[in-house]
Every structure is written in C-alpha cells, then in structure tokens.
Coordinates of all heavy atoms in Angstrom, one line a residue:
M10 N -2.9 119.4 75.9 CA -3.7 120.3 75.1 C -4.1 121.5 76.0 O -4.6 121.2 77.1 CB -4.9 119.6 74.5 CG -5.5 120.4 73.5 SD -6.8 119.6 72.5 CE -6.4 117.9 72.5
L11 N -3.9 122.7 75.6 CA -4.3 123.9 76.4 C -5.6 124.4 75.9 O -5.9 124.5 74.7 CB -3.3 125.0 76.2 CG -1.9 124.6 76.6 CD1 -0.9 125.8 76.3 CD2 -1.8 124.3 78.1
A12 N -6.5 124.8 76.8 CA -7.7 125.5 76.5 C -7.5 126.9 76.2 O -6.8 127.6 77.0 CB -8.7 125.3 77.6
I13 N -8.0 127.5 75.1 CA -7.9 128.9 74.8 C -9.2 129.5 75.1 O -10.2 129.2 74.4 CB -7.4 129.1 73.4 CG1 -6.1 128.4 73.1 CG2 -7.4 130.6 73.0 CD1 -5.6 128.4 71.7
T14 N -9.3 130.3 76.1 CA -10.6 130.8 76.5 C -11.0 132.1 75.8 O -12.1 132.3 75.5 CB -10.6 131.1 78.1 OG1 -9.5 132.0 78.4 CG2 -10.4 129.8 78.8
S15 N -10.1 133.0 75.6 CA -10.4 134.2 74.8 C -9.2 135.0 74.4 O -8.2 134.9 75.0 CB -11.4 135.1 75.7 OG -10.6 135.7 76.8
L16 N -9.4 135.7 73.4 CA -8.3 136.7 72.9 C -9.1 137.8 72.2 O -9.6 137.7 71.1 CB -7.4 136.0 71.9 CG -6.3 136.8 71.3 CD1 -5.3 137.2 72.4 CD2 -5.5 136.0 70.3
T17 N -9.3 138.9 73.0 CA -10.3 139.9 72.5 C -9.7 141.2 72.1 O -10.3 142.0 71.5 CB -11.3 140.2 73.6 OG1 -10.6 140.5 74.8 CG2 -12.2 138.9 73.9
K18 N -8.4 141.4 72.4 CA -7.8 142.7 72.1 C -7.1 142.7 70.8 O -5.9 142.5 70.7 CB -6.8 143.1 73.2 CG -7.5 143.4 74.5 CD -6.5 143.9 75.6 CE -7.3 144.1 76.9 NZ -6.4 144.6 77.9
F19 N -7.8 142.9 69.7 CA -7.2 143.0 68.4 C -7.0 144.4 68.0 O -7.9 145.3 68.2 CB -8.2 142.4 67.3 CG -8.4 140.9 67.5 CD1 -9.7 140.4 67.6 CD2 -7.4 140.0 67.7 CE1 -10.0 139.1 67.8 CE2 -7.6 138.7 67.9 CZ -8.9 138.2 67.9
A20 N -5.8 144.8 67.5 CA -5.5 146.1 67.1 C -5.9 146.4 65.7 O -5.7 147.5 65.2 CB -4.0 146.4 67.3
I21 N -6.6 145.4 65.0 CA -7.0 145.5 63.7 C -8.5 145.2 63.6 O -9.1 144.9 64.5 CB -6.1 144.6 62.7 CG1 -6.3 143.1 63.2 CG2 -4.7 145.0 62.8 CD1 -5.7 142.2 62.2
S22 N -9.0 145.4 62.4 CA -10.4 145.0 62.2 C -10.6 143.5 62.3 O -9.8 142.8 62.9 CB -10.8 145.5 60.8 OG -10.0 144.9 59.8
I23 N -11.7 143.0 61.8 CA -12.0 141.6 62.0 C -10.9 140.8 61.4 O -10.6 140.9 60.2 CB -13.4 141.3 61.3 CG1 -14.5 142.1 62.0 CG2 -13.7 139.8 61.4 CD1 -15.8 142.1 61.2
P24 N -10.4 139.9 62.2 CA -9.3 139.0 61.7 C -9.7 138.0 60.7 O -10.8 137.5 60.8 CB -8.7 138.4 62.9 CG -9.8 138.4 63.9 CD -10.6 139.6 63.6
S25 N -8.9 137.7 59.7 CA -9.2 136.7 58.7 C -8.3 135.4 58.9 O -8.7 134.4 58.5 CB -9.0 137.2 57.3 OG -9.9 138.3 57.1
W26 N -7.2 135.6 59.5 CA -6.2 134.6 59.8 C -5.7 134.7 61.2 O -5.6 135.8 61.7 CB -5.1 134.6 58.8 CG -5.5 134.4 57.4 CD1 -5.7 133.2 56.8 CD2 -5.7 135.4 56.4 NE1 -6.1 133.4 55.5 CE2 -6.1 134.7 55.2 CE3 -5.7 136.8 56.4 CZ2 -6.4 135.4 54.0 CZ3 -6.0 137.5 55.3 CH2 -6.3 136.8 54.1
Y27 N -5.2 133.6 61.7 CA -4.5 133.7 63.0 C -3.2 132.8 62.9 O -3.1 131.9 62.1 CB -5.4 133.2 64.2 CG -5.8 131.8 64.2 CD1 -5.0 130.8 64.7 CD2 -6.9 131.3 63.5 CE1 -5.3 129.5 64.7 CE2 -7.3 130.0 63.5 CZ -6.5 129.1 64.1 OH -6.8 127.8 64.1
C28 N -2.3 133.1 63.9 CA -1.1 132.3 64.0 C -0.8 132.1 65.4 O -0.9 133.0 66.2 CB 0.0 133.1 63.3 SG 1.7 132.4 63.6
I29 N -0.5 130.9 65.8 CA 0.0 130.6 67.2 C 1.4 130.0 67.1 O 1.6 129.0 66.4 CB -1.0 129.6 67.9 CG1 -2.4 130.1 67.9 CG2 -0.5 129.3 69.3 CD1 -3.4 129.1 68.4
L30 N 2.3 130.6 67.8 CA 3.7 130.1 67.8 C 4.1 129.7 69.2 O 3.7 130.3 70.2 CB 4.7 131.3 67.4 CG 4.5 131.8 66.0 CD1 5.5 133.0 65.8 CD2 4.8 130.8 64.9
E31 N 4.9 128.6 69.3 CA 5.3 128.1 70.5 C 6.8 128.5 70.7 O 7.6 128.2 69.9 CB 5.2 126.6 70.6 CG 5.5 126.0 71.9 CD 5.3 124.5 71.9 OE1 4.2 124.1 71.3 OE2 6.1 123.8 72.4
N32 N 7.1 129.2 71.8 CA 8.5 129.6 72.1 C 9.1 130.5 71.0 O 10.3 130.4 70.8 CB 9.3 128.4 72.5 CG 8.8 127.8 73.8 OD1 8.3 128.4 74.6 ND2 9.1 126.5 73.9
S33 N 8.3 131.3 70.4 CA 8.9 132.2 69.4 C 8.0 133.5 69.4 O 6.8 133.4 69.5 CB 8.8 131.6 68.0 OG 9.2 132.5 67.0
T34 N 8.7 134.6 69.2 CA 8.0 135.9 69.2 C 8.1 136.5 67.8 O 7.6 137.6 67.6 CB 8.6 136.8 70.2 OG1 10.0 137.0 69.9 CG2 8.5 136.3 71.6
A35 N 8.7 135.8 66.8 CA 8.9 136.4 65.5 C 7.7 136.1 64.6 O 7.5 134.9 64.2 CB 10.2 135.9 64.9
V36 N 7.0 137.1 64.2 CA 5.8 136.9 63.3 C 6.2 136.3 61.9 O 5.4 135.6 61.3 CB 5.0 138.2 63.1 CG1 5.8 139.2 62.2 CG2 3.7 138.0 62.5
G37 N 7.5 136.4 61.6 CA 8.0 135.8 60.3 C 7.9 134.3 60.3 O 7.9 133.7 59.3
G38 N 7.8 133.7 61.5 CA 7.7 132.3 61.6 C 6.3 131.7 61.5 O 6.1 130.5 61.7
C39 N 5.3 132.6 61.3 CA 3.9 132.2 61.3 C 3.5 131.4 60.0 O 4.0 131.7 58.9 CB 3.0 133.5 61.3 SG 2.8 134.2 62.9
S40 N 2.8 130.4 60.3 CA 2.0 129.7 59.3 C 0.6 130.0 59.5 O 0.0 129.6 60.5 CB 2.2 128.2 59.4 OG 3.5 127.8 59.1
W41 N 0.0 130.9 58.7 CA -1.3 131.5 58.9 C -2.4 130.4 58.7 O -2.4 129.7 57.8 CB -1.5 132.7 58.1 CG -0.6 133.8 58.4 CD1 0.6 134.1 57.8 CD2 -0.7 134.7 59.5 NE1 1.3 135.1 58.4 CE2 0.5 135.5 59.5 CE3 -1.6 134.9 60.5 CZ2 0.7 136.5 60.4 CZ3 -1.4 135.9 61.4 CH2 -0.2 136.7 61.4
T42 N -3.4 130.5 59.6 CA -4.6 129.6 59.5 C -5.8 130.5 59.3 O -6.0 131.4 60.0 CB -4.7 128.8 60.8 OG1 -3.5 128.0 61.0 CG2 -5.9 127.9 60.7
A43 N -6.6 130.1 58.3 CA -7.8 130.9 58.0 C -8.8 130.7 59.1 O -9.0 129.6 59.7 CB -8.4 130.5 56.7
G44 N -9.4 131.8 59.5 CA -10.5 131.8 60.5 C -10.5 133.0 61.4 O -9.4 133.4 61.8
A45 N -11.6 133.5 61.6 CA -11.7 134.7 62.4 C -11.7 134.4 63.9 O -11.5 135.3 64.7 CB -13.0 135.5 62.1
S46 N -11.8 133.2 64.3 CA -11.8 132.8 65.7 C -10.7 131.8 66.0 O -10.4 131.0 65.1 CB -13.1 132.3 66.2 OG -13.5 131.1 65.5
L47 N -10.1 131.9 67.2 CA -9.1 130.9 67.6 C -9.7 129.6 67.9 O -10.8 129.5 68.2 CB -8.3 131.4 68.8 CG -7.5 132.7 68.6 CD1 -7.0 133.2 70.0 CD2 -6.3 132.4 67.7
P48 N -8.9 128.5 67.8 CA -9.4 127.2 68.1 C -9.6 127.1 69.6 O -9.1 127.9 70.4 CB -8.2 126.3 67.7 CG -7.0 127.1 67.8 CD -7.5 128.5 67.4
A49 N -10.5 126.2 70.0 CA -10.8 126.1 71.5 C -9.7 125.5 72.3 O -9.6 125.7 73.5 CB -12.1 125.2 71.6
T50 N -8.8 124.7 71.6 CA -7.7 124.1 72.3 C -6.4 124.2 71.4 O -6.6 124.4 70.2 CB -7.9 122.6 72.6 OG1 -8.2 121.9 71.4 CG2 -9.1 122.5 73.6
Y51 N -5.3 124.0 72.0 CA -4.0 124.0 71.2 C -3.1 123.0 71.8 O -2.9 123.0 73.1 CB -3.4 125.4 71.2 CG -2.1 125.5 70.5 CD1 -2.0 125.6 69.1 CD2 -0.9 125.5 71.2 CE1 -0.9 125.6 68.4 CE2 0.3 125.5 70.5 CZ 0.3 125.6 69.1 OH 1.5 125.7 68.4
S52 N -2.5 122.1 71.0 CA -1.6 121.1 71.6 C -0.2 121.6 71.4 O 0.3 122.0 70.4 CB -1.7 119.8 70.8 OG -3.0 119.3 70.9
V53 N 0.6 121.6 72.6 CA 2.0 122.0 72.6 C 2.8 120.8 72.2 O 2.4 119.7 72.2 CB 2.4 122.6 73.9 CG1 1.6 123.8 74.3 CG2 2.2 121.6 75.0
A54 N 4.1 121.1 71.8 CA 5.0 120.1 71.5 C 5.2 119.2 72.7 O 5.1 119.6 73.9 CB 6.4 120.7 71.1
A55 N 5.6 117.9 72.5 CA 5.7 116.9 73.6 C 6.9 117.1 74.4 O 7.1 116.4 75.4 CB 5.6 115.5 73.0
S56 N 7.8 118.0 74.1 CA 9.0 118.1 74.9 C 8.7 118.8 76.3 O 7.8 119.6 76.4 CB 10.0 119.0 74.2 OG 9.5 120.3 73.9
Q57 N 9.4 118.3 77.3 CA 9.2 118.7 78.7 C 9.6 120.2 78.8 O 10.5 120.6 78.1 CB 10.0 117.9 79.7 CG 9.6 116.4 79.7 CD 8.2 116.2 80.3 OE1 7.9 116.8 81.3 NE2 7.5 115.3 79.7
G58 N 9.0 120.9 79.7 CA 9.5 122.2 80.1 C 8.6 123.4 79.8 O 7.5 123.2 79.4
A59 N 9.1 124.6 80.1 CA 8.3 125.8 80.0 C 8.1 126.1 78.5 O 9.0 125.9 77.7 CB 9.1 127.0 80.7
K60 N 6.9 126.7 78.2 CA 6.5 127.1 76.9 C 5.8 128.4 77.0 O 5.0 128.6 77.9 CB 5.6 126.0 76.3 CG 6.3 124.7 76.1 CD 5.4 123.6 75.8 CE 6.0 122.2 75.9 NZ 7.2 122.0 75.1
T61 N 6.0 129.3 76.0 CA 5.2 130.5 75.9 C 4.6 130.5 74.5 O 5.3 130.3 73.5 CB 6.1 131.7 76.1 OG1 6.7 131.7 77.4 CG2 5.3 133.0 76.0
L62 N 3.3 130.7 74.5 CA 2.6 130.8 73.2 C 2.4 132.2 72.8 O 2.1 133.1 73.6 CB 1.2 130.1 73.4 CG 1.2 128.6 73.8 CD1 -0.2 128.1 73.9 CD2 2.0 127.8 72.8
S63 N 2.6 132.5 71.6 CA 2.5 133.9 71.0 C 1.3 133.8 70.0 O 1.3 132.9 69.1 CB 3.7 134.4 70.3 OG 4.8 134.5 71.3
F64 N 0.5 134.8 70.0 CA -0.7 134.8 69.1 C -0.6 136.1 68.2 O -0.2 137.1 68.7 CB -2.0 134.9 69.9 CG -2.3 133.8 70.8 CD1 -1.9 133.8 72.1 CD2 -2.9 132.7 70.3 CE1 -2.1 132.8 73.0 CE2 -3.2 131.6 71.2 CZ -2.8 131.7 72.5
F65 N -0.9 135.9 67.0 CA -1.0 137.0 66.0 C -2.3 136.8 65.2 O -2.7 135.7 65.0 CB 0.2 137.0 65.0 CG 1.5 137.2 65.7 CD1 2.3 136.1 66.1 CD2 2.1 138.5 65.9 CE1 3.5 136.3 66.6 CE2 3.3 138.6 66.5 CZ 4.0 137.5 66.8
V66 N -2.9 137.9 64.8 CA -4.0 137.8 63.9 C -3.7 138.8 62.7 O -3.0 139.7 62.8 CB -5.4 138.2 64.5 CG1 -5.8 137.2 65.5 CG2 -5.3 139.6 65.2
Q67 N -4.4 138.5 61.6 CA -4.2 139.2 60.3 C -5.5 139.5 59.7 O -6.4 138.6 59.7 CB -3.3 138.4 59.4 CG -2.9 139.2 58.1 CD -1.9 138.3 57.3 OE1 -2.4 137.8 56.3 NE2 -0.7 138.2 57.6
D68 N -5.7 140.7 59.2 CA -7.0 141.0 58.6 C -6.9 140.7 57.1 O -5.9 140.3 56.6 CB -7.5 142.4 58.9 CG -6.7 143.5 58.2 OD1 -5.8 143.2 57.4 OD2 -6.9 144.7 58.6
A69 N -8.0 140.9 56.4 CA -8.2 140.5 55.0 C -7.2 141.3 54.1 O -6.9 140.8 53.0 CB -9.6 140.7 54.5
V70 N -6.8 142.5 54.5 CA -5.8 143.3 53.6 C -4.4 143.1 54.0 O -3.5 143.7 53.5 CB -6.2 144.8 53.6 CG1 -7.6 144.9 52.9 CG2 -6.2 145.4 54.9
G71 N -4.1 142.2 55.0 CA -2.7 141.9 55.4 C -2.2 142.6 56.6 O -1.0 142.5 56.9
N72 N -3.0 143.5 57.3 CA -2.5 144.1 58.5 C -2.4 143.0 59.6 O -3.3 142.2 59.8 CB -3.5 145.2 59.0 CG -3.6 146.3 58.0 OD1 -2.6 146.8 57.5 ND2 -4.9 146.6 57.6
I73 N -1.2 143.1 60.3 CA -0.9 142.1 61.3 C -0.9 142.7 62.7 O -0.3 143.8 62.8 CB 0.4 141.4 61.0 CG1 0.4 140.7 59.7 CG2 0.8 140.4 62.2 CD1 1.7 140.1 59.2
S74 N -1.6 142.1 63.6 CA -1.6 142.6 65.0 C -0.2 142.6 65.6 O 0.7 141.9 65.2 CB -2.6 141.8 65.8 OG -2.0 140.5 66.1
A75 N -0.1 143.3 66.7 CA 1.0 143.2 67.6 C 1.0 141.8 68.3 O -0.1 141.2 68.4 CB 1.0 144.3 68.6
R76 N 2.1 141.3 68.7 CA 2.1 140.0 69.4 C 1.4 140.1 70.7 O 1.5 141.0 71.5 CB 3.6 139.7 69.7 CG 3.8 138.4 70.5 CD 5.3 138.2 70.7 NE 5.5 137.3 71.8 CZ 5.9 137.6 73.0 NH1 6.1 138.9 73.3 NH2 6.0 136.7 73.9
V77 N 0.6 139.1 70.9 CA -0.1 138.9 72.2 C 0.3 137.5 72.7 O 0.1 136.5 72.0 CB -1.7 138.9 72.0 CG1 -2.4 138.7 73.3 CG2 -2.1 140.2 71.3
D78 N 0.9 137.5 73.9 CA 1.3 136.1 74.3 C 0.5 135.7 75.5 O -0.1 136.5 76.2 CB 2.8 136.0 74.6 CG 3.3 136.9 75.8 OD1 2.4 137.5 76.5 OD2 4.5 137.0 75.9
A79 N 0.3 134.4 75.6 CA -0.5 133.8 76.6 C 0.4 133.6 77.9 O 1.6 133.9 77.8 CB -1.0 132.4 76.2
N80 N -0.2 133.2 78.9 CA 0.6 132.9 80.1 C 1.5 131.8 79.8 O 1.2 130.9 79.0 CB -0.3 132.5 81.3 CG -1.1 133.7 81.8 OD1 -0.7 134.8 81.7 ND2 -2.3 133.4 82.3
A81 N 2.7 131.8 80.4 CA 3.6 130.7 80.2 C 3.0 129.4 80.8 O 2.3 129.5 81.8 CB 5.0 131.0 80.9
V82 N 3.3 128.3 80.2 CA 2.8 127.0 80.7 C 4.0 126.1 80.8 O 5.0 126.3 80.1 CB 1.7 126.4 79.8 CG1 0.5 127.2 79.8 CG2 2.2 126.1 78.4
T83 N 3.9 125.0 81.6 CA 5.0 124.1 81.7 C 4.4 122.7 81.5 O 3.4 122.3 82.1 CB 5.6 124.1 83.1 OG1 6.2 125.4 83.3 CG2 6.8 123.1 83.2
L84 N 5.0 121.9 80.6 CA 4.6 120.6 80.3 C 5.5 119.7 81.2 O 6.7 119.7 81.1 CB 4.8 120.2 78.8 CG 4.4 118.8 78.5 CD1 3.0 118.5 78.7 CD2 4.8 118.5 77.0
D85 N 4.9 118.9 82.1 CA 5.6 118.0 83.0 C 4.8 116.7 83.0 O 3.8 116.6 83.7 CB 5.7 118.6 84.4 CG 6.4 117.8 85.4 OD1 6.9 116.7 85.0 OD2 6.5 118.2 86.5
T86 N 5.3 115.7 82.3 CA 4.6 114.4 82.2 C 5.4 113.4 83.0 O 5.0 112.2 83.0 CB 4.4 114.0 80.8 OG1 5.7 113.8 80.2 CG2 3.6 114.9 80.0
V87 N 6.4 113.8 83.7 CA 7.2 112.8 84.5 C 6.7 112.7 85.9 O 6.6 113.7 86.6 CB 8.7 113.3 84.5 CG1 9.5 112.3 85.3 CG2 9.3 113.4 83.1
A88 N 6.3 111.5 86.3 CA 5.8 111.3 87.6 C 6.9 111.5 88.7 O 8.1 111.2 88.4 CB 5.3 109.9 87.8
P89 N 6.6 112.0 89.8 CA 7.6 112.1 90.9 C 8.0 110.8 91.4 O 7.3 109.8 91.3 CB 6.9 112.9 92.0 CG 5.4 112.7 91.7 CD 5.3 112.5 90.3
S90 N 9.2 110.7 91.9 CA 9.7 109.4 92.4 C 10.0 109.6 93.9 O 10.3 110.7 94.4 CB 11.0 109.0 91.7 OG 12.0 110.0 91.9
V91 N 9.8 108.5 94.6 CA 10.1 108.4 96.1 C 11.3 107.6 96.3 O 11.4 106.5 95.8 CB 8.9 107.8 96.8 CG1 9.2 107.7 98.3 CG2 7.6 108.6 96.6
T92 N 12.3 108.2 96.9 CA 13.6 107.4 97.1 C 13.7 106.8 98.5 O 14.4 105.8 98.6 CB 14.8 108.4 97.0 OG1 14.6 109.5 97.9 CG2 14.8 108.9 95.6
N93 N 12.9 107.2 99.5 CA 13.1 106.7 100.8 C 11.8 106.9 101.6 O 11.3 108.1 101.7 CB 14.3 107.2 101.6 CG 14.5 106.5 102.9 OD1 13.9 105.5 103.1 ND2 15.4 107.1 103.7
V94 N 11.2 105.9 102.2 CA 10.0 106.0 103.0 C 10.2 105.4 104.3 O 10.7 104.2 104.4 CB 8.8 105.4 102.3 CG1 7.5 105.5 103.2 CG2 8.5 106.0 101.0
T95 N 10.0 106.1 105.4 CA 10.1 105.6 106.7 C 8.8 105.6 107.4 O 8.1 106.6 107.4 CB 11.1 106.4 107.5 OG1 12.4 106.5 106.8 CG2 11.4 105.9 108.9
G96 N 8.4 104.5 108.0 CA 7.2 104.4 108.7 C 7.3 104.0 110.2 O 8.4 103.5 110.6
T97 N 6.3 104.3 111.0 CA 6.4 103.8 112.4 C 5.1 103.0 112.6 O 4.0 103.3 112.1 CB 6.4 105.0 113.3 OG1 5.3 105.9 113.1 CG2 7.7 105.8 113.2
N98 N 5.2 102.1 113.6 CA 4.0 101.3 113.9 C 3.3 102.0 115.1 O 3.9 102.2 116.1 CB 4.5 99.9 114.3 CG 3.4 98.9 114.6 OD1 2.2 99.3 114.6 ND2 3.7 97.7 114.6
S99 N 2.0 102.2 114.9 CA 1.3 102.9 116.0 C 0.7 102.0 117.0 O 0.0 102.4 117.9 CB 0.2 103.8 115.3 OG -0.7 102.9 114.6
N100 N 1.0 100.7 116.9 CA 0.5 99.7 117.9 C 1.3 99.6 119.1 O 2.4 99.6 119.3 CB 0.2 98.3 117.3 CG -0.9 98.4 116.3 OD1 -1.8 99.3 116.5 ND2 -0.9 97.5 115.4

C-alpha cells in the first residue's frame, strides 16, 4: 500500500471525482470515485515490478484535469537468496 501525501496542483476548480490508474496514462480507462480528496493510501496490484500511478480529477461540470503522475514505485516482495557463504575462524 502506498501513502499518498498530497496532490495540490489542480487545473480545474474544486474536484468532485478522482481517478487513479496503475501503469496507464489514458483518462478513458478511469473509473471515477466521488470525493474531493484523494485517499490516504492506495494498494497497487500484487504483480512484481515497476509501476507508475496516474492521477486525474474531475469537477462537477465534467472538466477533467491534465494527467498528474506520481513517482514510479517498484513492488518487490521476493526475498534475496544467498548461494554461497564462506567464513574464516578468527581463533
């Protein structure tokens, strides 16, 4: 889950809906969520690898902001493995 700290540069008036897309920049893929503020967190898909989140907001009359994307994030849930360990005795 990613923490969303702020998104303050809206090119439109007070937003009524928002959309967060993962690895997509096309506003046509939005499923709009009612609310003037973004959620405090967002869960990315469980697949490993790089992800870029795109944010859009829409006002009450349907004006849609330009795309604002967050920093890229990488989901890595695989623990590193050790293939060979060599030690020496200090005695």
Side-chain angles (χ1 to χ4, degrees):
M10 195 172 327
L11 300 175
I13 299 173
T14 55
S15 69
L16 181 63
T17 56
K18 295 183 179 181
F19 299 125
I21 61 175
S22 60
I23 299 170
S25 298
W26 297 278
Y27 67 87
C28 171
I29 304 173
L30 297 175
E31 185 177 318
N32 295 332
S33 175
T34 60
V36 71
C39 280
S40 293
W41 295 98
T42 302
S46 60
L47 292 171
T50 60
Y51 179 79
S52 296
V53 297
S56 60
Q57 299 289 319
K60 299 166 187 309
T61 300
L62 301 180
S63 297
F64 299 92
F65 298 92
V66 292
Q67 186 178 102
D68 66 13
V70 295
N72 296 311
I73 299 172
S74 71
R76 175 180 161 256
V77 179
D78 64 11
N80 292 330
V82 296
T83 301
L84 179 63
D85 181 1
T86 61
V87 178
S90 62
V91 177
T92 57
N93 188 9
V94 176
T95 303
T97 57
N98 188 348
S99 61
N100 290 336

